Amino acid sequence: MRALLSGLAVAVTATVPAAIPAPASAAPNLVPNPKLETMAGKLPKCWTTWSTGHNTAKTKVVAGRSGKRAVQIDMKVRVSGARALVQTPACAIKTTGGKRFDLSFYLKSDTAKMKVVTFRKDAKGKWHKWKDLAVGGASAKWKRVEVRTPFAPDGTTAIRFGLAVEGKGKITTDDYTAVRAPGVTGVCTDPNGCTQGKWAVREFGDPVPDGEGDTGDGGTGLKKGVRAMHAVLLVTGKVLLIAGSGNNRANFDNRLEAGRLVSWLYDPIKNTYKKIGTPSDMFCAGHVQLSDGRVLVMGGTKKYPDYVPQEDGWLGEERSYLFDPFDEKYIQTNDMSDGHWYPSATVLGNGDVYTVGGYAGEYAGGRQQISRVTELFKYDKNSKTGGKWLPENQVVQTGINWATYPSLILTQDNRLFYTGASVFGHPTGNNDGNNYSDGEPFLGPGFLDIKTKKWTPVGGLSQDHARDQAASLLLPPAQNQKVMVLGGMNFNGTAQGQQDGAHQHTDIVDLDDAGAGFKRGPDLLTPKVYLSAVILPDGKVFETGGSRGNRAGYTHEASVFDPKKPGQWTPMAADPVGRTYHNSSILLPNGAVMAQGSNPASNFYDTRISIYKPPYFFKGPRPKITGVGTRYWAYGNTYTFKTNRKIKTAWLIRPAAVTHSSDPNQRAVAPEKLTVTGKTVKFKLTGKSSIAPPGWYMLFATDAKGLPSVARWIHVG
């Protein structure tokens, strides 16, 4: 066996000592008795024989290369296995996980069937066979061989190595060295990945029929199958992808036929998906996770527009459902008071859900209209349906024209902050053709007290009339109460297929000092609308996807913003798939980002999924959460978890429920106090449910190099 480990650097140098290259590191030699000169019985001190399989060999001390002694192994008979000279456990090289080594020695041999064998010791003191590293060809004269190990796995406490022969013949070895190689945990092992990350594209379904391809940017050969107008990460680690009729009038008109209305349950680890029976057209519905992990889906499409007469348009659905991530089925709740097509959904500190906006369930004068009805879902953990929608007369009604998918973020004082980002624009005082803004004043950002319906405007948002389908989020940590709005455009009067119109502005407001208004943040790398913004477990914000215009002009660029260093956006690898209208991106529990969807003006739907691995995937072994005392955390208490090495920070990140660039519930919660004692971590949870609304969160631990662990699921509240 002569397996060369992928990515392993192996150097075989000349036999002339003057031509031998310097070791890869100037660190001291870590091998005891490296020249084999000190004896302990029949073999040099710190060295022993190791064998596996069925073979016969003779080991003896012979004349050395530069001293008196070397060791020769002469394999006379071999049926299987190998015979080697290796370091003894007592003389092993002490180390920790995340380090790698350059190993070298001199050899003479009359067989090419050789390999370097390595062993590693775990934290419990048990030795394991580690990696076999290739050596190269036979040599009648002394030659120097150097190999580089991979990074030692987490939990490694020592390594040892030696040269093995696995064929009939003689090998003679001398003059061993082992030095720490450049690169430890946090140092890049992949020049491209460590600076910009990497994307992998997954394709599904049957080939696209002739004439159905993307006319904008995709060309031919795309697939169909998994549509994703809505994406919700479940506590099981699977992703609920909802299409409903999927922006396909024929599916809506024939929705009573089996399979016309679609949801998919996608497993991003196994790369498999399951079709879910979908009882109503959830195309352009709202959704949010309840405290128990079930997903509340409200509204959707009640009627596609006929445009006869011209004022006719979309109607919103009154029906509402729960999706159970364990039963993997929908259950119907009671109806809302009005229909809502493109509604918001914000979870409150007590677990209730506040819903406003979207097109209503009935026409007014033959025209579509925005619903002015405020809906409140009263959560009940003991209810089969998770609770119920309260009657309209039991909910404080504001009468506000919220337009479609208004982004309403829960603040620490239990108000709702409207970020100024929606989908199809807000009232401008003129008839803009959208049939819901005639003569009304423009609604910009502001605070709403849901109990008193007091409205407090907040100024300073640049391009405030051009924040249609912008992204917005509560920057990490949630306790800092800073909101960012990214990109967008003004859809009023623009035609589908328009190639430009987006801008690249970002703006940030401190909700604790909202009187100062928004301040300009660093510009995006390029103008964007339909973009996604995702909080990463290293505390940064990743933006990706979008286009320059109305369902046209893909912008493949992606970038990262660090709230601790808010100077600029740093370019990252670009998603190979163009993603315009109806695209979204979510954070997965392993720290990767999943991007899905694209529905350009041709109304083609790109069903490919892209998985992005940020730079921290390529910087050596990441820390691990090895144990959690309890998964159920109450507000204000301190909880303990274990890691495999010392960490610096920890986050609780709420799983995504995103559509149309909007996920107002996305947030990363920092500990009120973090105590790290070796591998034991104590996390004090906030006492405010308005900072961390009740529900399931992903717990990430991050080391001093900024490398995050894979998440563990924690229930808050």
Side-chain angles (χ1 to χ4, degrees):
M1 179 176 66
R2 299 179 57 197
L4 178 60
L5 192 68
S6 176
L8 179 70
V10 179
V12 180
T13 64
T15 59
V16 182
I20 297 171
S25 170
N29 185 5
L30 301 173
V31 178
N33 194 21
K35 293 182 177 294
L36 312 181
E37 294 300 293
T38 303
M39 296 295 291
K42 294 182 178 181
L43 288 175
K45 183 180 179 181
C46 292
W47 296 91
T48 187
T49 55
W50 169 87
S51 65
T52 183
H54 300 285
N55 52 72
T56 301
K58 183 177 181 179
T59 302
K60 64 180 181 179
V61 175
V62 297
R65 168 188 165 269
S66 58
K68 293 181 180 179
R69 296 180 177 90
V71 172
Q72 182 183 89
I73 299 176
D74 183 3
M75 184 173 281
K76 302 288 188 179
V77 178
R78 180 186 182 273
V79 177
S80 64
R83 190 70 62 101
L85 178 74
V86 299
Q87 294 172 289
T88 61
C91 294
I93 302 165
K94 294 182 179 180
T95 185
T96 58
K99 296 180 175 63
R100 58 182 178 177
F101 296 85
D102 287 333
L103 312 175
S104 68
F105 51 87
Y106 285 83
L107 69 80
K108 292 191 296 184
S109 67
D110 57 12
T111 176
K113 295 181 178 181
M114 300 173 290
K115 63 183 178 182
V116 173
V117 290
T118 63
F119 305 82
R120 70 177 190 90
K121 185 179 180 182
D122 65 22
K124 295 181 179 180
K126 184 177 180 181
W127 282 97
H128 304 269
K129 183 76 161 40
W130 187 21
K131 298 292 182 180
D132 292 338
L133 309 176
V135 172
S139 177
K141 298 181 179 180
W142 287 108
K143 72 173 182 179
R144 182 176 181 270
V145 173
E146 181 176 316
V147 297
R148 177 167 291 178
T149 72
F151 287 103
D154 293 337
T156 300
T157 60
I159 68 164
R160 54 195 181 102
F161 75 103
L163 179 65
V165 58
E166 53 180 0
K168 289 181 64 176
K170 296 178 183 178
I171 59 170
T172 306
T173 62
D174 199 359
D175 295 343
Y176 284 79
T177 62
V179 296
R180 279 275 303 278
V184 294
T185 300
V187 176
C188 181
T189 60
D190 183 317
N192 294 321
C194 78
T195 56
Q196 295 192 325
K198 288 187 175 181
W199 291 88
V201 178
R202 300 173 177 178
E203 299 189 0
F204 304 93
D206 301 321
V208 177
D210 292 342
E212 195 178 321
D214 180 358
T215 59
D217 190 41
T220 60
L222 302 181
K223 307 287 184 177
K224 67 176 184 177
V226 182
R227 294 196 175 200
M229 273 67 179
H230 310 266
V232 184
L233 175 64
L234 307 176
V235 68
T236 59
K238 298 178 182 179
V239 181
L240 179 64
L241 301 174
I242 303 174
S245 59
N247 206 12
N248 184 319
R249 178 64 182 263
N251 286 341
F252 180 81
D253 290 343
N254 298 285
R255 58 191 179 277
L256 296 181
E257 296 180 16
R260 286 287 190 170
L261 302 179
V262 180
S263 301
W264 295 99
L265 196 60
Y266 178 66
D267 188 325
I269 302 301
K270 296 180 180 179
N271 194 29
T272 58
Y273 57 93
K274 172 185 176 182
K275 199 169 186 178
I276 302 296
T278 306
S280 178
D281 191 3
M282 298 174 183
F283 172 54
C284 298
H287 37 63
V288 67
Q289 287 104 332
L290 297 179
S291 176
D292 56 18
R294 290 181 289 180
V295 180
L296 178 66
V297 184
M298 71 289 295
T301 304
K302 184 177 181 180
K303 183 180 183 297
Y304 272 67
D306 295 321
Y307 297 117
V308 180
Q310 186 63 34
E311 292 82 6
D312 190 4
W314 298 89
L315 289 181
E317 180 60 73
E318 292 91 352
R319 284 182 285 179
S320 168
Y321 295 85
L322 278 187
F323 182 80
D324 189 311
F326 301 103
D327 290 344
E328 299 181 349
K329 295 179 181 179
Y330 287 106
I331 303 171
Q332 188 168 2
T333 72
N334 64 321
D335 290 350
M336 295 181 289
S337 297
D338 194 7
H340 296 268
W341 189 74
Y342 282 66
S344 73
T346 303
V347 65
L348 305 179
N350 62 357
D352 294 348
V353 176
Y354 190 89
T355 291
V356 293
Y359 289 140
E362 302 293 339
Y363 294 124
R367 302 172 63 186
Q368 64 185 10
Q369 61 177 336
I370 291 294
S371 174
R372 308 300 179 95
V373 177
T374 299
E375 312 275 6
L376 187 71
F377 186 83
K378 192 67 178 175
Y379 174 66
D380 181 355
K381 67 179 181 180
N382 296 316
S383 169
K384 180 180 179 181
T385 59
K388 65 178 181 179
W389 294 100
L390 298 182
E392 182 178 349
N393 62 5
Q394 293 183 22
V395 182
V396 176
Q397 299 295 321
T398 67
I400 293 175
N401 181 343
W402 289 107
T404 47
Y405 284 134
S407 182
L408 295 168
I409 293 174
L410 180 67
T411 67
Q412 66 175 345
D413 59 5
N414 285 298
R415 293 184 294 172
L416 295 179
F417 178 70
Y418 170 56
T419 68
S422 60
V423 173
F424 292 137
H426 262 93
T428 60
N430 300 307
N431 186 345
D432 61 9
N434 282 323
N435 299 325
Y436 57 80
S437 62
D438 303 353
E440 295 186 75
F442 173 74
L443 181 67
F447 293 95
L448 173 68
D449 187 317
I450 63 175
K451 293 181 179 179
T452 66
K453 65 182 181 184
K454 179 182 178 182
W455 174 258
T456 306
V458 173
L461 178 64
S462 69
Q463 298 280 354
D464 57 353
H465 285 67
R467 293 294 183 166
D468 305 347
Q469 200 111 350
S472 59
L473 75 162
L474 186 63
L475 292 173
Q479 288 92 332
N480 283 1
Q481 294 286 280
K482 292 183 178 180
V483 168
M484 172 180 271
V485 183
L486 304 82
M489 66 177 287
N490 188 337
F491 279 87
N492 294 332
T494 64
Q496 286 191 3
Q498 180 175 312
Q499 292 290 323
D500 53 35
H503 62 83
Q504 60 197 103
H505 288 210
T506 74
D507 293 81
I508 301 173
V509 62
D510 185 342
L511 300 184
D512 290 334
D513 187 23
F518 278 89
K519 306 296 182 184
R520 280 291 299 276
D523 282 355
L524 298 167
L525 302 180
T526 185
K528 283 193 175 193
V529 65
Y530 309 122
L531 73 163
S532 293
V534 178
I535 296 173
L536 299 179
D538 60 1
K540 298 175 183 177
V541 175
F542 175 69
E543 67 80 19
T544 184
S547 59
R548 299 188 304 274
N550 189 347
R551 301 179 71 177
Y554 293 127
T555 54
H556 293 265
E557 294 87 350
S559 58
V560 159
F561 171 79
D562 188 346
K564 293 182 179 180
K565 303 174 183 177
Q568 62 183 5
W569 290 88
T570 301
M572 293 290 118
D575 187 348
V577 179
R579 301 200 181 275
T580 178
Y581 191 44
H582 287 143
N583 88 90
S584 62
S585 296
I586 63 173
L587 176 68
L588 298 176
N590 66 354
V593 174
M594 173 178 156
Q596 53 276 325
S598 186
N599 188 195
S602 65
N603 217 32
F604 164 78
Y605 203 91
D606 196 321
T607 63
R608 291 175 292 177
I609 287 174
S610 299
I611 302 294
Y612 173 68
K613 291 185 176 180
Y616 46 72
F617 272 81
F618 305 95
K619 296 184 177 181
R622 292 158 59 186
K624 292 181 181 179
I625 299 174
T626 57
V628 176
T630 176
R631 295 202 301 162
Y632 295 88
W633 292 11
Y635 294 113
N637 289 353
T638 299
Y639 295 92
T640 300
F641 63 92
K642 299 282 189 177
T643 57
N644 67 328
R645 64 174 184 258
K646 189 172 183 179
I647 60 103
K648 184 177 181 180
T649 59
W651 299 93
L652 288 170
I653 299 183
R654 191 173 182 92
V658 61
T659 186
H660 294 74
S661 301
S662 179
D663 183 4
N665 302 289
Q666 181 180 197
R667 59 183 60 209
V669 180
E672 294 298 303
K673 181 180 180 181
L674 190 73
T675 304
V676 181
T677 305
K679 299 176 183 178
T680 300
V681 183
K682 292 185 177 180
F683 186 118
K684 183 176 182 181
L685 180 63
T686 176
K688 294 182 177 180
S689 63
S690 54
I691 291 292
W696 287 98
Y697 286 73
M698 293 179 284
L699 171 65
F700 290 95
T702 305
D703 67 15
K705 302 289 186 179
L707 306 185
S709 68
V710 172
R712 291 288 190 100
W713 288 99
I714 298 295
H715 188 273
V716 169

